Amino acid sequence: ISDKESGISKKKAPLLFNLAELQSECSKRFKISPAQTLDIIQELYEKKYTTYPRTDARVLTTAVAKEINKNLNRLQNYGPTAKYVHEILGEKKYIGIEKTAYTDDSKVTDHYAIIPTGQCNGIENLSALSQRVYDLIVRRFLSIFYPPAWYKNVKVTVQVGDEKFFAGAKLLVKPGYLEIAG
């Protein structure tokens, strides 16, 4: 048996949600249709919990990125992720977000990505499914302020007689943004 470490790889947080990406993720996680997702995200928008839902952009504009601390400050009241928000604000992890892949004016046509506005009063009055979709949006948003996840790539070769068998695995070394996103 030989064990070859092929190095460390990093994986950044995915881009923010646009409508199609959110519908796809909700279909996978919650087994709901794109139409159901649209109804939920429209409700979240109308109640001012999230930004405009019918967007194809997965990034922020520079103007929004420069003011993102306002959204973060209001999200301190959202219990499930409050500790992450406190850390982001306390360590000023939001500074410089306008210079990352999560901000690109050229990729925004009419509306930027779907993000939480920070308004959380009354979230507990929504349906359980609406709360789960909101939580998904919040966690994707907060994950962009965290470092990449680090993986150790390991390859194993087993030789039995003249035959060689190969296997590989990725082991999580540092969770980075996965701490929030799951």
Side-chain angles (χ1 to χ4, degrees):
I1 298 177
S2 84
D3 177 9
K4 286 192 284 185
E5 190 181 308
S6 64
I8 299 284
S9 63
K10 295 180 189 178
K11 183 180 177 194
K12 287 184 174 184
L15 294 175
L16 296 163
F17 284 122
N18 63 12
L19 181 57
E21 177 74 11
L22 182 60
Q23 288 171 318
S24 174
E25 193 68 21
C26 286
S27 176
K28 281 187 255 179
R29 288 186 186 225
F30 311 133
K31 308 295 184 234
I32 60 175
S33 71
Q36 287 173 290
T37 302
L38 180 58
D39 289 344
I40 290 168
I41 189 63
Q42 186 66 36
E43 173 193 23
L44 292 173
Y45 170 68
E46 288 172 5
K47 293 185 175 178
K48 302 197 181 336
Y49 293 123
T50 61
T51 57
Y52 188 73
R54 288 178 175 83
T55 179
D56 58 355
R58 295 191 60 202
V59 294
L60 303 171
T61 62
T62 305
V64 170
K66 287 180 178 176
E67 299 287 320
I68 210 66
N69 64 318
K70 292 177 182 175
N71 300 61
L72 290 166
N73 278 315
R74 290 188 296 262
L75 275 175
Q76 291 182 88
N77 298 322
Y78 181 60
T81 59
K83 73 176 189 173
Y84 303 114
V85 176
H86 292 303
E87 185 180 325
I88 291 165
L89 290 168
E91 297 178 17
K92 299 186 189 284
K93 292 182 177 190
Y94 58 90
I95 292 178
I97 199 73
E98 68 276 2
K99 296 179 186 121
T100 67
Y102 304 107
T103 303
D104 187 343
D105 292 336
S106 71
K107 293 182 179 172
V108 178
T109 49
D110 295 333
H111 301 280
Y112 52 89
I114 301 168
I115 62 171
T117 60
Q119 162 66 25
C120 357
N121 294 337
I123 286 286
E124 66 281 354
N125 298 327
L126 296 174
S127 72
L129 186 56
S130 293
Q131 288 180 47
R132 289 167 64 197
V133 172
Y134 177 75
D135 191 71
L136 183 64
I137 293 165
V138 170
R139 288 176 185 278
R140 174 70 65 98
F141 171 66
L142 295 178
S143 70
I144 72 171
F145 301 101
Y146 270 70
W150 290 44
Y151 293 91
K152 181 192 260 186
N153 299 307
V154 179
K155 292 183 180 177
V156 178
T157 304
V158 178
Q159 185 167 351
V160 180
D162 292 338
E163 297 290 324
K164 285 187 177 182
F165 300 92
F166 304 94
K170 271 172 62 169
L171 304 170
L172 184 62
V173 178
K174 292 182 185 176
Y177 78 91
L178 292 173
E179 185 180 339
I180 299 169

